[in-house]
Amino acid sequence: MSNNFKLAPSILSADFSDLQSALHICKSGGADWIHVDVMDNQFVPNLTIGPLIVKSLRPKTRKFIDVHMMVINPETLVEPFAKAGADSITFHIEATDDPNSIIDLIKSCGCKVGISLKPKTPLSDILPFLEKVDLVLVMSVEPGFGGQGFIPKSNDRILELKKYLNENCLDRVLIQVDGGIKLHNAKEIMNAGADVLVAGSEVFKADNPIQTIKEFYNLSE
């Protein structure tokens, strides 16, 4: 299990009419990060948050804002999200023919760099870029909608990625996992090598979201 475990509640599952309450939940529960799912209804079949939402959140929280771009032409949105206040920006390997340029652009904007891949994309597709990134986001559902079930084989991918990072002196690169993460399966995912868990509906649809966040952290002790 990672000693650096972080929880990143996804505001995709929060009440969009009261994001202030979502920030309060994250603060009171002790969540490290706030995860922002960006979808363009082209790369994935859903339309969600733009830079203006991040800009509205930034003055209201000191939490690490973690932007996950599920969009085509990610280079067009890097600077707007960076200027809005993102701390980290993750793009999809499937969304570009030139990952190095996206990585360099994100770095030039002063943000941490994440690279993500869909469940059916081979890990080998991202290996050439791991020396330049800060985070790998392993999707454990098909991206597009919240509330999906965790794909069990994702743990094998996490284990394989963790092994590669350790063997290549890249253990500084965080493994983030997003999709179907619940209290009942979180410990197994952490044990596979996840450093950051993204949880949406499990947190914001819970009867007691603050207590649920605390229970995630209790699992990592």
Side-chain angles (χ1 to χ4, degrees), residues 42-93:
Q42 296 183 71
F43 183 72
V44 291
N46 200 358
L47 185 64
T48 60
I49 295 167
L52 285 176
I53 298 294
V54 172
K55 186 177 181 180
S56 72
L57 295 175
R58 183 72 282 172
K60 295 178 173 60
T61 182
R62 294 183 179 180
K63 298 288 185 187
F64 188 93
I65 295 181
D66 169 43
V67 171
H68 174 201
M69 299 196 304
M70 290 165 273
V71 302
I72 62 170
N73 302 319
E75 65 278 1
T76 64
L77 285 173
V78 169
E79 190 172 350
F81 274 108
K83 286 183 175 179
D87 293 295
S88 176
I89 297 176
T90 296
F91 71 98
H92 268 263
I93 188 70

Side-chain angles (χ1 to χ4, degrees), residues 194-215:
D195 302 293
V196 184
L197 297 185
V198 177
S201 57
E202 184 75 342
V203 170
F204 291 113
K205 304 302 183 188
D207 291 337
N208 189 334
I210 293 171
Q211 182 59 33
T212 299
I213 292 173
K214 292 178 178 179
E215 289 176 15

